[in-house]
């Protein structure tokens, strides 16, 4: 029987002015996870400064339901701070990320937990995802969804992290015991690309990986953070790569990282030399 005080999974969801119907879909995808019975999971929803009435009303209704905690009224300094605040409330063996405008595949936990139980060295596990715009992606024809596959092997996932963010944040599950760092949460605050900074700050002896399977459905809309802050997110990722390489005594300029990411061409022999050293 489930231990209500110690759920297997803590879902961690930041919310900011998300429409009610999108939140309802996200919650439904949590409740319909195959093999998860009541009490085996909890949802920690963090209101990161919502002003929309419908969002506040939905969260208020959620707060009255069992297995859901809603953290409200936070004067946070961004999504990383909100996620870290929510992390402090997580009690599960595993912490699972999902955004309030996204949707989890029905077999997501079954596949991810099964993999982690059989591969105890893996610290963070992501997976493939599809994008959608409207409706319930679980019932949409596959032809209407665009599928993305991430690198799977731990070494390849690590290697690709300096060329792009090779873990899709809304598909990730954490082994919580690995991040027992004084209950402060794993996300570097004050960074726009908090996920990429998090992955690159992990000790190299902590393997990260992806499953090839589609685990999440990510909603594409003009109001999303990835749309509204695309340039800031990319620049923050460039800085994360610079910081990571600096720990190996490799000093790269932002323009050098753009070359690594295929966003620019090398314009001098000196730049070619700097970038080449980063690949050695």
């Amino acid at each position: 029987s489930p231990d209500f005080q110690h759920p297997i999974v803590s879902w961690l969801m930041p919310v900011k002015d998300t429409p009610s119907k999108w939140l309802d879909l996200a919650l439904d995808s949590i409740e319909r996870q195959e093999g998860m019975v009541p009490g085996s999971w909890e949802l920690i929803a963090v209101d990161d400064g919502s002003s929309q009435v419908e969002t506040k009303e939905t969260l208020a209704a959620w707060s009255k339901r069992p297995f859901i905690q809603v953290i409200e009224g936070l004067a946070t300094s961004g999504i990383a701070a909100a996620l870290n605040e929510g992390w402090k409330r997580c009690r599960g063996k595993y912490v699972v990320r999902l955004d309030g405008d996204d949707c989890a595949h029905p077999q997501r936990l079954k596949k991810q937990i099964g993999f982690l139980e059989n591969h105890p060295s893996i610290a963070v596990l992501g997976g493939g995802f599809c994008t959608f715009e409207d409706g319930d992606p679980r019932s949409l024809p596959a032809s209407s969804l665009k599928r993305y596959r991430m690198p799977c092997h731990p070494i390849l996932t690590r290697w690709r992290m300096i060329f792009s963010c090779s873990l899709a944040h809304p598909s990730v599950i954490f082994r919580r015991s690995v991040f027992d760092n004084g209950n402060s949460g794993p996300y570097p605050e004050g960074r726009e690309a908090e996920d990429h900074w998090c992955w690159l700050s992990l000790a190299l002896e902590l393997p990260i990986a992806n499953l090839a399977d589609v685990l999440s459905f990510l909603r594409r809309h003009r109001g999303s953070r990835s749309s509204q802050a695309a340039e800031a997110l990319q620049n923050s990722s460039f800085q994360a790569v610079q910081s990571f390489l600096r720990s190996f005594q490799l000093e790269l300029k932002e323009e050098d990282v753009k070359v690594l990411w295929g966003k620019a061409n090398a314009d001098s022999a000196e730049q070619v030399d700097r970038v080449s050293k980063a690949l050695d």
Side-chain angles (χ1 to χ4, degrees):
S1 61
D3 182 345
F4 297 134
Q5 297 303 313
H6 299 90
I8 300 170
V9 164
S10 296
W11 292 87
L12 179 56
M13 178 189 294
V15 175
K16 186 170 184 178
D17 293 327
T18 309
S20 295
K21 65 177 183 178
W22 295 359
L23 289 171
D24 290 341
L25 178 65
L27 178 57
D28 184 71
S29 75
I30 290 173
E31 294 178 322
R32 292 179 182 272
Q33 287 295 300
E34 293 184 11
M36 302 300 292
V37 298
S40 64
W41 61 272
E42 65 178 357
L43 168 61
I44 311 299
V46 186
D47 182 2
D48 187 23
S50 294
S51 59
Q52 294 297 316
V53 173
E54 68 168 314
T55 304
K56 289 178 168 291
E57 289 178 345
T58 298
L59 292 178
W62 281 14
S63 67
K64 300 174 183 177
R65 300 182 60 171
F67 318 127
I68 300 179
Q69 292 186 58
V70 177
I71 306 173
E72 297 181 281
L74 293 178
T76 67
S77 56
I79 190 172
L83 288 169
N84 284 335
E85 193 63 34
W87 183 281
K88 298 174 186 178
R89 313 291 181 94
C90 293
R91 299 174 298 168
K93 179 179 179 180
Y94 301 110
V95 176
V96 183
R97 278 284 289 108
L98 186 69
D99 289 336
D101 54 358
D102 295 333
C103 177
H105 190 282
Q107 294 184 331
R108 174 178 173 179
L109 290 187
K110 180 179 180 180
K111 291 180 177 181
Q112 286 188 306
I113 293 175
F115 185 90
L116 289 174
E117 291 291 320
N118 287 311
H119 300 84
S121 67
I122 301 296
V124 182
L125 181 67
F129 63 93
C130 289
T131 57
F132 73 107
E133 294 184 1
D134 203 5
D136 185 340
R138 296 168 296 182
S139 59
L140 292 175
S143 59
S144 69
L145 303 172
K146 187 173 181 179
R147 179 172 178 172
Y148 296 82
R149 179 172 175 172
M150 311 300 280
C152 294
H153 193 281
I155 293 176
L156 185 56
T157 305
R158 278 281 188 182
W159 170 248
R160 287 282 300 277
M161 199 60 77
I162 66 170
F163 304 103
S164 64
C165 189
S166 54
L167 285 169
H169 200 183
S171 76
V172 159
I173 181 171
F174 298 82
R175 195 182 298 275
R176 188 165 68 93
S177 61
V178 171
F179 298 88
D180 186 12
N181 51 0
N183 201 33
S184 61
Y187 294 98
E189 297 185 15
R191 304 293 185 180
E192 194 73 36
E194 78 291 333
D195 53 341
H196 206 172
W197 278 89
C198 179
W199 317 142
L200 285 173
S201 69
L202 293 177
L204 292 179
E205 60 267 22
L206 295 177
I208 60 178
N210 283 292
L211 297 180
D213 310 68
V214 170
L215 302 179
S216 300
F217 301 97
L218 278 56
R219 188 186 299 272
R220 294 294 189 230
H221 59 98
R222 287 180 294 179
S224 69
R225 182 164 165 257
S226 58
S227 296
Q228 293 192 333
E231 184 176 357
L233 287 166
Q234 181 172 269
N235 290 338
S236 182
S237 283
F238 291 161
Q239 294 163 11
V241 172
Q242 285 178 278
S243 177
F244 173 75
L245 294 175
R246 194 174 297 124
S247 66
F248 298 96
Q249 288 72 54
L250 292 168
E251 284 290 342
L252 264 65
K253 301 177 181 179
E254 183 173 311
E255 292 302 315
D256 301 332
V257 180
K258 289 182 180 179
V259 173
L260 283 175
W261 282 48
K263 302 295 184 181
N265 295 320
D267 59 9
S268 68
E270 291 79 7
Q271 187 176 39
V272 170
D273 185 59
R274 288 194 303 270
V275 173
S276 297
K277 287 180 179 177
L279 299 177
D280 286 344

